[in-house]
Amino acid sequence: MKVVAFNGSPRKEGNTYHGIKIALDQLEKEGIETEIIQVGNKVIRGCIACNQCVKNKDEKCAIVNDPVNDWIQKMKEADGIILGSPVHYSAIAGTMKSFLDRAFYVTSVNDMMLRHKVGAPVVAVRRSGGLPTFNQLNNYINYSEMIMPTSNYWNVIHGTKPGDVLEDEEGVQIMRVLGKNMAWLMKLVENGADEVEAPVREQKRFMNFIR
């Protein structure tokens, strides 16, 4: 089994990285392979609503001059996914959101590619805005019918300078418990796949209230 984690921070080894790494260390102790992909220091264009991914259904975004399509395949191949972001103005970091908007649109219109994979958010914050960002990341996971492990509090860890979060004892525990629970859930999914039939996927219905 493998977990791929996406780090939305511009800093390769800033506090978001450290938060993710605490969880991944627990997964590795359970024999699960891990990989961190650096998103926040790349140039990622936002979704342009061209709907070519809906038309082509080839598991690709029409924008091809950045790594997003490669990352989509990483998500497809993984058993678990961690979405990590720092807080920018009480929200997901901009580059990370551009990636998530495109990747999750592509995966959703290609037979819900991430359905029943295990997914979790991780947030690093200096002071406030952690919960709005946590909830935003959850939206992608919920929309994709992924399965979400929990911890003993919200998955938010606090610090200013890179490495400060390692002094946040409660935050470190939150990430450690998250990693343990994620490993346990992934094993349940893997071991139960042949024993319990998954529900049939329903086609998405769209509706608005303008008549």
Side-chain angles (χ1 to χ4, degrees), residues 78-131:
D79 304 286
I81 297 168
I82 290 177
L83 307 178
S85 179
V87 175
H88 289 184
Y89 292 93
S90 293
I92 302 170
T95 302
M96 185 67 169
K97 188 174 190 309
S98 293
F99 158 58
L100 293 176
D101 284 351
R102 287 168 54 195
F104 277 82
Y105 193 17
V106 170
T107 56
S108 68
V109 300
N110 282 272
D111 297 321
M112 296 292 280
M113 287 164 53
L114 307 183
R115 186 173 185 257
H116 295 168
K117 291 182 184 291
V118 176
V122 165
V123 176
V125 62
R126 180 188 69 83
R127 182 173 176 85
S128 60
L131 281 184

Side-chain angles (χ1 to χ4, degrees), residues 40-65:
N41 62 355
K42 307 293 192 303
V43 177
I44 307 296
R45 188 176 180 182
C47 178
I48 59 174
C50 67
N51 280 328
Q52 284 299 112
C53 59
V54 180
K55 178 181 176 181
N56 296 334
K57 295 191 184 301
D58 58 358
E59 303 180 358
K60 294 179 181 178
C61 175
I63 301 172
V64 296
N65 59 347

Side-chain angles (χ1 to χ4, degrees), residues 12-172:
K12 187 174 181 180
E13 294 190 4
N15 285 323
T16 307
Y17 165 85
H18 288 294
I20 291 170
K21 191 67 171 61
I22 294 166
L24 294 187
D25 286 346
Q26 298 302 315
L27 287 153
E28 290 172 1
K29 288 179 181 179
E30 297 295 328
I32 296 171
E33 182 183 354
T34 70
E35 178 182 5
I36 299 178
I37 293 176
Q38 184 68 22
V39 176
N41 62 355
K42 307 293 192 303
V43 177
I44 307 296
R45 188 176 180 182
C47 178
I48 59 174
C50 67
N51 280 328
Q52 284 299 112
C53 59
V54 180
K55 178 181 176 181
N56 296 334
K57 295 191 184 301
D58 58 358
E59 303 180 358
K60 294 179 181 178
C61 175
I63 301 172
V64 296
N65 59 347
D66 59 33
V68 169
N69 284 328
D70 292 335
W71 295 343
I72 289 170
Q73 291 306 306
K74 290 275 190 180
M75 297 169 85
K76 180 182 179 181
E77 294 163 6
D79 304 286
I81 297 168
I82 290 177
L83 307 178
S85 179
V87 175
H88 289 184
Y89 292 93
S90 293
I92 302 170
T95 302
M96 185 67 169
K97 188 174 190 309
S98 293
F99 158 58
L100 293 176
D101 284 351
R102 287 168 54 195
F104 277 82
Y105 193 17
V106 170
T107 56
S108 68
V109 300
N110 282 272
D111 297 321
M112 296 292 280
M113 287 164 53
L114 307 183
R115 186 173 185 257
H116 295 168
K117 291 182 184 291
V118 176
V122 165
V123 176
V125 62
R126 180 188 69 83
R127 182 173 176 85
S128 60
L131 281 184
T133 304
F134 174 73
N135 289 332
Q136 285 178 316
L137 293 172
N138 280 341
N139 287 340
Y140 295 95
I141 295 169
N142 283 323
Y143 181 84
S144 299
E145 293 190 55
M146 297 176 73
I147 305 168
M148 193 182 304
T150 57
S151 186
N152 60 3
Y153 206 69
W154 323 127
N155 305 342
V156 180
I157 195 164
H158 291 76
T160 302
K161 299 185 302 296
D164 276 357
V165 294
L166 299 176
E167 303 301 317
D168 176 8
E169 294 182 8
E170 183 174 359
V172 168

